[in-house]
Amino acid sequence: MDATVKQILDSFRFSVDNYTSSLGSDNEKLMRAKELVESLYIKAEDGADMMAISMDPEFGAAGALIGELAAEPVLTPEEQASTETEGDTASDGAVPPASIAAAGYHMAYDSMTPAVREKQGRYYSRIFELEEEAENAVHFNTLLVEDGVLFEMSREPLIEAAKETLKQAEDIYSPTVNYQQELVAETYAEVSSITELEFHGTLMAELSNVEHEWDALFIEVIGLLPTCAQAIEAFGPMDDLVGKLRNSHRFMAEFMGITWNEVFADPRYLLFWNNVFWPRIPAEKRTKYGVNSAEGWRDLLKEKFYDPFVKDEPVPQPDPSKAHVRLWRKVFPLHKTLDLLNDPPRPVIERH
């Protein structure tokens, strides 16, 4: 019998049986609905597919009658208690057949594109095998949990997505993305339940979100001096831009203990400057200034758009005692930032 047809007819049969105790087995509409459903079963077992069944007048009539049963007057409690219910699915305390519980999986499988089905097909094949083995819907759901197919169906796409994200992230040079996706693939490969997937997934995502934001702010703050110089190159020496550059010239030394040279000695900022910032400099500007490298653009900004505007300022001096960062409530030397992001000192989150 066609799997989709079986799901629908099983659902019809269960619905009809469910009304027997409340309406009585001699209810005319109920008896007619049972006849139609059983007739459709015979046709389906003889090879009728979904198209043939759905076009059969008995199919529409059965569906309409089942809908009308909800409006039929029910028996009194005394009549229901005395009604003969032998062989009645609902009164026997039986549960729906496995096909009803599996209906959603069949619908999902039938709606898949060939590409998705190629990836997910092996999981659904196993689910359908369990459906055939199951005695009823409860047994089917129990087998799904015991077999682990739902767990694997949840875990494998997450691991594949992490690996794909890691591959796509090669061009953005983000240590936080790299660490997170490598950790996801490693962690998910070791867990053994959907509960663990959810717990570790949420935990890693929350910690990673903090580290992504922290990294972005670090780039913004440590790169304040070249950013000010870049703004003057782009928009000209407007008073507010020059004022911001002069203030930053003093502020960075006083606040973080670093000067222009320390900025371009920091491994994390250099990773950004060489691989993210420099490639975005338009070709016409490179030609205009005769600059062909990230180092050349750095020197151009300092010589033409930084030094001339701070030449009357005191020369700031680096102060290693101020050059530090704070991550996850711990303090580290500033030049260790890239190492920290490659392997962050994440706090231990205990489950209680």
Side-chain angles (χ1 to χ4, degrees):
M1 183 185 299
D2 180 89
T4 303
V5 173
K6 187 176 188 304
Q7 296 158 31
I8 294 175
L9 296 184
D10 279 349
S11 179
F12 277 8
R13 178 181 278 175
F14 186 75
S15 296
V16 169
D17 288 341
N18 239 357
Y19 283 110
T20 302
S21 61
S22 61
L23 301 181
S25 58
D26 58 350
N27 180 283
E28 292 185 5
K29 289 186 177 180
L30 181 61
M31 290 190 294
R32 178 56 180 158
K34 285 185 176 182
E35 291 175 2
L36 292 173
V37 171
E38 295 309 315
S39 175
L40 291 169
Y41 255 99
I42 293 173
K43 293 177 181 179
E45 289 173 346
D46 288 340
D49 60 12
M50 186 63 217
M51 178 66 72
I53 291 294
S54 63
M55 296 295 290
D56 193 308
E58 291 185 345
F59 182 80
L65 276 174
I66 291 173
E68 292 175 10
L69 291 177
E72 286 289 289
V74 299
L75 300 176
T76 65
E78 293 76 15
E79 290 174 323
Q80 291 185 36
S82 63
T83 298
E84 181 63 42
T85 58
E86 292 183 5
D88 173 15
T89 302
S91 60
D92 284 346
V95 295
S99 60
I100 293 180
Y105 296 105
H106 284 279
M107 293 176 64
Y109 183 76
D110 291 341
S111 66
M112 288 179 181
T113 63
V116 174
R117 186 174 294 184
E118 183 178 356
K119 291 183 177 180
Q120 298 285 311
R122 65 183 186 277
Y123 303 121
Y124 283 86
S125 294
R126 181 54 184 158
I127 290 172
F128 300 150
E129 289 175 1
L130 295 177
E131 177 190 359
E132 293 298 322
E133 297 174 15
E135 299 174 0
N136 52 45
V138 173
H139 188 208
F140 171 67
N141 287 329
T142 301
L143 290 177
L144 284 179
V145 175
E146 293 176 345
D147 183 82
V149 62
L150 295 184
F151 167 63
E152 291 299 336
M153 188 163 61
S154 300
R155 175 170 68 169
E156 289 303 320
L158 293 174
I159 294 176
E160 291 178 7
K163 293 178 179 178
E164 182 63 25
T165 300
L166 194 59
K167 183 178 180 180
Q168 294 174 353
E170 292 177 354
D171 294 336
I172 65 174
Y173 296 89
S174 171
T176 54
V177 171
N178 291 344
Y179 177 80
Q180 170 69 3
Q181 299 309 316
E182 289 173 355
L183 183 63
V184 165
E186 177 184 336
T187 301
Y188 285 164
E190 296 176 353
V191 300
S192 57
S193 69
I194 291 180
T195 301
E196 288 180 287
L197 277 180
E198 294 175 346
F199 172 78
H200 287 291
T202 301
L203 175 61
M204 289 186 292
E206 292 297 327
L207 296 177
S208 181
N209 288 340
V210 172
E211 290 161 1
H212 287 326
E213 184 68 18
W214 190 96
D215 185 36
L217 289 173
F218 176 81
I219 294 295
E220 180 179 347
V221 173
I222 195 175
L224 188 58
L225 298 180
T227 298
C228 289
Q230 182 63 55
I232 293 176
E233 184 279 327
F235 303 107
M238 295 187 291
D239 290 345
D240 59 333
L241 297 180
V242 172
K244 184 176 181 180
L245 183 145
R246 291 169 65 86
N247 289 336
S248 300
H249 174 73
R250 295 187 294 268
F251 170 78
M252 292 302 289
E254 295 173 1
F255 175 65
M256 294 189 71
I258 60 175
T259 66
W260 180 281
N261 291 337
E262 282 68 48
V263 171
F264 284 95
D266 181 77
R268 175 63 188 106
Y269 191 73
L270 283 178
L271 182 68
F272 164 78
W273 181 266
N274 293 334
N275 299 288
V276 179
F277 182 82
W278 163 246
R280 295 178 181 174
I281 299 298
E284 56 269 24
K285 284 198 173 187
R286 301 185 189 192
T287 301
K288 174 183 177 181
Y289 295 112
V291 175
N292 299 304
S293 68
E295 293 80 5
W297 193 261
R298 172 201 64 194
D299 296 340
L300 169 75
L301 291 182
K302 189 171 190 302
E303 294 171 6
K304 293 185 177 295
F305 303 101
Y306 183 82
D307 286 345
F309 300 100
V310 295
K311 59 185 179 182
D312 59 337
E313 289 280 335
V315 178
Q317 298 299 316
D319 185 349
S321 67
K322 297 179 180 179
H324 56 257
V325 294
R326 184 182 297 272
L327 178 62
W328 294 122
R329 298 185 178 183
K330 296 180 181 180
V331 178
F332 304 91
L334 183 142
H335 69 276
K336 292 290 186 180
T337 296
L338 183 58
D339 292 336
L340 291 175
L341 296 176
N342 283 329
D343 187 14
R346 290 183 170 182
V348 176
I349 308 296
E350 297 182 353
R351 288 177 288 180
H352 297 285

